[in-house]
Amino acid sequence: MKKKTIFKQPLFWTQLVSIVVILFLIATSVSLTKKNDKLKETIKSDRRLNSKSYTYVRQMNSGTDFYDSLIDFTTTPDKAGNDFKKYVNYSSGDASVNIAALYAKKNNSDLLATGINKAKNDVFLVGIDLKNVSDEPATVNPKEFFLKSGDDYLQFDSTFFTGETYDDGTVLIPAGETKTFVNFYGGEKAKKYDKKELKVQYGGQFWQ
């Protein structure tokens, strides 16, 4: 009996179709993987932006130029950070204030009165030093200071300040004087935030 040529053998066509299908699946898989990677990056970016926006709205609530400030906070890239206790100058009009985050640490005492649910959250303290180096009084809003670890922002609770405080929460720093306030934040116990990873953010500035 005459042997069939390879092109006429069913096995050849079966194998060829299988190879084509496999190559198609591989190409599709690679394409989908690239699309999935891009999608994951987009989702990751959106989650970061959404988290940042939510944190700002939750902490600030409202105020002068609120929406413009929200957009700036959400879209402005974070700047290089400084060590704790290093002062950065901020000026507005004739007022000029040197600001430094002094520390960010977990509170180990149960004596502090806060609105934080201590059964589920640890209490964190952030100390901020304000030096008014101008001849004009200045105001600073403690709520504009955020505490974060990685991409996770801890929840602001309240501020302790012994000077003059206005209805909108801003504090007064008289001309030529230095004032300090302490912010309280709640962080989920389950996340076990590492002190070394805590950062204090003011605008695009960090202290760590």
Side-chain angles (χ1 to χ4, degrees):
M1 184 175 65
K2 187 177 180 182
K3 187 176 181 181
K4 294 181 180 179
T5 63
I6 191 170
F7 299 108
K8 294 182 179 180
Q9 294 180 27
L11 181 60
F12 167 78
W13 291 109
T14 300
Q15 291 177 334
L16 180 61
V17 171
S18 298
I19 292 172
V20 171
V21 170
I22 290 172
L23 290 175
F24 173 77
L25 291 175
I26 291 174
T28 302
S29 176
V30 170
S31 176
L32 289 176
T33 298
K34 290 181 179 179
K35 290 180 180 179
N36 285 338
D37 289 342
K38 186 175 181 180
L39 180 60
K40 287 178 182 178
E41 287 299 317
T42 301
I43 292 173
K44 182 178 179 181
S45 175
D46 286 346
R47 283 177 177 170
R48 180 185 65 80
L49 292 178
N50 288 338
S51 173
K52 205 172 183 182
S53 300
Y54 172 74
T55 298
Y56 189 87
V57 172
R58 178 183 65 188
Q59 187 160 318
M60 294 300 298
N61 299 319
S62 61
T64 305
D65 300 325
F66 174 75
Y67 292 105
D68 288 339
S69 298
L70 169 60
I71 292 171
D72 288 343
F73 179 79
T74 305
T75 60
T76 301
D78 298 331
K79 298 178 181 178
N82 289 308
D83 294 331
F84 284 126
K85 301 181 181 180
K86 183 174 181 179
Y87 290 89
V88 177
N89 180 262
Y90 293 88
S91 299
S92 177
D94 294 329
S96 181
V97 179
N98 291 338
I99 299 176
L102 303 177
Y103 56 80
K105 61 183 181 181
K106 185 171 77 171
N107 174 63
N108 295 315
S109 170
D110 292 328
L111 301 178
L112 289 176
T114 68
I116 298 170
N117 183 350
K118 296 179 183 177
K120 297 181 179 180
N121 298 279
D122 289 319
V123 179
F124 291 83
L125 311 180
V126 170
I128 305 293
D129 210 33
L130 311 163
K131 294 183 178 180
N132 189 340
V133 293
S134 65
D135 296 326
E136 297 292 330
T139 58
V140 173
N141 191 340
K143 287 186 176 181
E144 292 181 344
F145 291 82
F146 297 81
L147 179 62
K148 66 180 299 189
S149 178
D151 290 329
D152 192 11
Y153 286 88
L154 282 69
Q155 187 166 353
F156 174 85
D157 177 72
S158 56
T159 301
F160 175 76
F161 181 67
T162 57
E164 185 173 354
T165 304
Y166 297 101
D167 291 339
D168 63 355
T170 58
V171 299
L172 175 67
I173 308 98
E177 293 190 19
T178 298
K179 294 288 184 179
T180 301
F181 65 79
V182 178
N183 276 353
F184 302 102
Y185 301 82
E188 295 179 38
K189 288 180 179 292
K191 294 188 177 180
K192 298 180 180 179
Y193 292 107
D194 185 346
K195 178 181 177 180
K196 295 179 181 179
E197 298 299 321
L198 294 175
K199 296 180 181 180
V200 178
Q201 179 178 358
Y202 182 61
Q205 181 65 54
F206 283 94
W207 287 268
Q208 185 177 25

